[in-house]
Structure formats: C-alpha cells, structure tokens
C-alpha cells in the first residue's frame, strides 16, 4: 500500500516515514529540502533497512503536483507535513507563508478530489487554540484569532479540508493538532536539525548545552504559573509519529464517524520552561547557561492537551516521559556535533 508523505525528510515527517515502513507501508516522500536534507534518507535506511522513494519537488509548482499524481495514481493516502513553520518569519513574510502553506494544500486536495477514494492526514497545531479559556485543552475549545500568519495557515488549512470533505464523498481526512514535539529516534539516526537559529525551545537548549549557542533566553518569569515561566505540553516525536500511523489505519479501515475528524496529540501534562531546563540538566549532567529576559510578544501563558479523544478513539497514548524525550534530544545533539 503506497502512502505519500510530503515534507518527509523533516523532523516529524522522517520519524513518521520510519513508523510507516516498520508497519509495512510503501512510502513515497516529497520534499523540497528547504529546511531538511537528503542525508536524512540514510538515517531512515539505517533504521528500517529500506529506502523510501524520494522526489525532490516544490509543491508550489502546480503542474508538477498534477504530474506527480498522474505518475503515482496508486497512492492510497497522503500525510501532509510540508509547510513553512517559523512564527516570527511568518509575521515578516506573510505572503510567503500563505503561498507555501495554503497554495500547496489546495493543489494536493485538488488531485485527491479526483479519486474515487482518498485518505488525507493534515499536520495541524495547537496554535489554533491561542490562549485557551480552559485547561487542559479539548478539541471542542474555540479556535481563537491567530497570533501569526503561520497560525492562521493552520486554521485556514483545517477549514479548507473540512469544506472539501463536505462536497467530496470519497475523501476522508483527519487533522492532528500537535502540541510541542521534541526528541529524536532512539537509534540516534534521525532527529531535529533546524537550519539556522532554532525556533523551538529544546534544540536551542541542546545547542546551548553543546556550546553552539552562548546562552538561552527565557522569555519572562512573571507569568501566573507555579515558577513564573510559560507552560507547554512536550511530546516525544516517536510517540507523535506513531499517532499518524494509527490515524491512517483508521482512515483506511473506513472507521471514521464522519469523513473529517480532529484530534489533539500531546501528553496531557504541561511542563514549564524551567522544568524543561531542569530536565536537560538532569539527563546531561551539565548546567545550562540561561538568563531571564523580557516576555516575548504573542506567547500564550499555558497550553497542554486533553488527549482523551485520541486515547479512546484512536487507541493511542503518548508513552515517553519528558526526561526520556530530552535524553534522546541530547544524544542526537552530541552525535551530530561529534
């Protein structure tokens, strides 16, 4: 059974390719390598013993998308990761984000709509909730006005998929709203490798720990939380990848109650920035050089998931602890720098 993974050389995409191949799926990867590297294929092969088919392709080029689906008419499912994801950059370059994140989604859905049956999984985000009114956050929480064009592309993406499913009987789709992915594969063959300055907390911590960054800035310690720093739900990337496989199986088995569903993916537990730093210091044995600075505009105070729906309907649950995820991230950082 052939599954297309767009952005399959990226952080979450590559781990999902591994889990798909471990379950016996034939995987085709599309990636333009704008924030990834073809070297990731070597890591996937080292773990699974099998090389996925790879096409370097820019999904913004509609003609190439049409041609791809003509050549791969037997694709039975698409997991769509490919997107620009830097919040700050999206504020500075909104049109780039709308073109890359929305235009490409439309082109893919256009091709899937031509099929008698098609299955689609969308890489969404907890950013759609903003600062939620209640914690933990359920899938029924209101979607707030986005704080950035990036967040807006996730909201709009979900709306586009829902609208398409309403009028396309053969299309089934699931949006997975991630909380904060971190870590690396236990083999240390693949992991998070951001180009340039990391946008996420954990790779900035590990890069500071290894000496690549001078110090970590903690944005504010005066929030209404137990230690004054922001709280997020950090989930091991392998747990996250496994959720995509069970979501795909639900679609392929035609088990959906409706042809469009939404699930939160997190651990259900919030950890503060200082708790994440403490976790790093514990698993690495190193003190981290950090300083408290002013709050950062747009940061929500606290966000962590209610995962009851995914637990009960998908039969999925995050298994790794914060320390286990941090240990894998640190092992990966040491490997790539050495």
């Amino acid at each position: 059974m052939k599954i297309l993974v767009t952005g399959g050389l990226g952080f979450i995409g590559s781990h999902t390719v591994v889990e798909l191949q471990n379950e016996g799926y034939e995987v085709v990867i599309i990636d333009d390598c704008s924030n990834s590297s073809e070297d990731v294929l070597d890591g996937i092969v080292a773990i699974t013993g099998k090389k996925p088919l790879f096409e370097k392709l820019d999904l913004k080029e509609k003609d190439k998308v049409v041609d791809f689906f003509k050549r791969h008419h037997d694709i039975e499912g698409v997991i769509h990761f490919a997107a620009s994801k830097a919040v700050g950059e999206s504020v500075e370059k909104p049109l780039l984000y709308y073109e890359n994140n929305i235009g490409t989604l439309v082109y893919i859905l256009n091709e899937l709509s031509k099929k008698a049956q098609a299955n689609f999984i969308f890489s969404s985000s907890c950013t759609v909730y903003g600062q939620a009114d209640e914690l933990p956050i359920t899938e029924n929480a209101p979607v707030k006005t986005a704080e950035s064009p990036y967040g807006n592309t996730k909201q709009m993406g979900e709306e586009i998929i829902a609208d398409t499913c309403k009028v396309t009987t053969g299309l089934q789709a699931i949006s997975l709203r991630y909380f904060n992915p971190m870590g690396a594969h236990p083999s240390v063959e693949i992991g998070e490798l951001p180009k340039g300055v990391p946008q996420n907390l954990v790779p900035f911590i590990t890069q500071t720990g290894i000496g690549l960054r001078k110090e970590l800035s903690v944005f504010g310690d005066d929030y209404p939380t137990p230690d004054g720093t922001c709280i997020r739900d950090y989930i091991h990337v392998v747990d996250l990848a496994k959720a995509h496989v069970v979501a795909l199986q639900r679609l392929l088995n035609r088990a959906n109650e409706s042809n469009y569903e939404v699930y939160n993916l997190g651990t259900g537990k919030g950890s503060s920035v200082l708790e994440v730093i403490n976790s790093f210091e514990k698993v690495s044995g190193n003190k981290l050089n950090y300083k408290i600075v002013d709050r950062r505009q747009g940061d929500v105070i606290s966000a962590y998931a209610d995962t009851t729906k995914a637990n009960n309907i998908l039969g999925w649950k995050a298994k790794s602890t914060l320390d286990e995820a941090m240990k894998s991230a640190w092992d990966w950082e040491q490997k790539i720098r050495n």
Side-chain angles (χ1 to χ4, degrees):
M1 187 174 289
K2 191 185 283 188
I3 306 300
L4 168 63
V5 181
T6 74
L9 298 182
F11 176 41
I12 307 170
S14 60
H15 286 82
T16 302
V17 169
V18 164
E19 296 304 323
L20 287 166
Q21 291 199 159
N22 284 342
E23 291 294 321
Y25 292 99
E26 182 185 354
V27 177
V28 185
I29 294 173
I30 286 178
D31 204 303
D32 67 358
C33 297
S34 60
N35 196 35
S36 59
S37 166
E38 286 189 45
D39 294 342
V40 175
L41 287 168
D42 297 333
I44 293 170
V45 174
I47 298 166
T48 66
K50 186 178 179 183
K51 188 172 185 177
L53 190 63
F54 168 63
E55 291 204 21
K56 189 173 182 178
L57 195 153
D58 187 345
L59 291 166
K60 294 194 295 295
E61 298 183 44
K62 184 179 181 180
D63 292 348
K64 290 186 177 178
V65 177
V66 172
D67 174 66
F68 175 87
F69 278 94
K70 280 180 181 171
R71 289 185 287 109
H72 296 278
H73 53 82
D74 54 343
I75 282 173
E76 294 195 39
V78 176
I79 304 180
H80 184 45
F81 294 104
S84 302
K85 62 175 186 176
V87 172
E89 183 186 53
S90 79
V91 174
E92 296 165 10
K93 302 175 181 176
L95 292 179
L96 183 149
Y97 273 68
Y98 290 121
E99 180 186 27
N100 199 38
N101 294 9
I102 299 300
T104 57
L105 171 65
V106 170
Y107 296 158
I108 291 169
L109 290 176
N110 229 356
E111 297 310 302
L112 294 183
S113 298
K114 299 172 185 176
K115 291 173 167 284
Q117 284 193 342
N119 304 290
F120 185 78
I121 294 175
F122 180 57
S123 168
S124 192
S125 168
C126 65
T127 58
V128 302
Y129 298 118
Q131 180 59 65
D133 300 323
E134 294 181 11
L135 294 169
I137 302 168
T138 73
E139 289 82 355
N140 295 324
V143 171
K144 299 285 186 74
T145 301
E147 298 281 350
S148 68
Y150 163 74
N152 203 22
T153 65
K154 292 303 179 186
Q155 292 182 11
M156 291 170 67
E158 289 193 13
E159 290 168 3
I160 289 165
I161 297 161
D163 287 343
T164 307
C165 284
K166 284 175 189 171
V167 295
T168 313
T169 52
L171 178 63
Q172 291 195 123
I174 289 176
S175 285
L176 298 175
R177 293 172 176 168
Y178 316 152
F179 279 67
N180 293 66
M182 62 175 287
H185 195 271
S187 65
V188 207
E189 293 289 349
I190 56 173
E192 188 169 10
L193 190 57
K195 290 189 176 180
V197 179
Q199 299 292 322
N200 299 330
L201 174 64
V202 173
F204 210 112
I205 285 175
T206 59
Q207 287 189 13
T208 305
I210 207 97
L212 200 64
R213 307 282 162 200
K214 183 184 173 187
E215 66 182 1
L216 171 77
S217 294
V218 175
F219 297 104
D221 64 348
D222 57 350
Y223 285 97
T225 63
D227 65 19
T229 63
C230 292
I231 290 173
R232 298 291 183 269
D233 187 337
Y234 295 91
I235 177 172
H236 197 304
V237 66
V238 174
D239 283 335
L240 191 62
K242 289 177 185 294
H244 290 77
V245 180
V246 295
L248 178 67
Q249 289 165 345
R250 178 167 173 80
L251 293 176
L252 294 170
N253 293 333
R254 289 297 192 255
N256 285 34
E257 291 163 19
S258 71
N259 66 339
Y260 179 62
E261 295 179 337
V262 175
Y263 295 92
N264 284 340
L265 296 181
T267 63
K269 180 182 183 297
S271 300
S272 72
V273 176
L274 291 181
E275 285 175 327
V276 177
I277 290 171
N278 290 340
S279 174
F280 170 78
E281 293 183 339
K282 178 180 171 185
V283 302
S284 70
N286 300 333
K287 293 297 288 181
L288 190 75
N289 187 27
Y290 71 91
K291 67 174 181 180
I292 307 296
V293 298
D294 291 341
R295 291 187 183 191
R296 183 171 56 182
Q297 189 177 0
D299 275 346
V300 300
I301 301 164
S302 187
Y304 54 95
D306 183 321
T307 61
T308 305
K309 186 178 178 184
N311 300 160
N312 293 345
I313 298 177
L314 296 179
W316 169 89
K317 190 175 177 65
K319 294 178 180 176
S320 297
T321 64
L322 176 65
D323 286 349
E324 288 166 344
M326 183 60 78
K327 175 73 165 56
S328 69
W330 179 233
D331 289 346
W332 166 251
E333 189 70 54
Q334 292 178 96
K335 180 192 173 180
I336 59 176
R337 302 307 165 194
N338 295 331

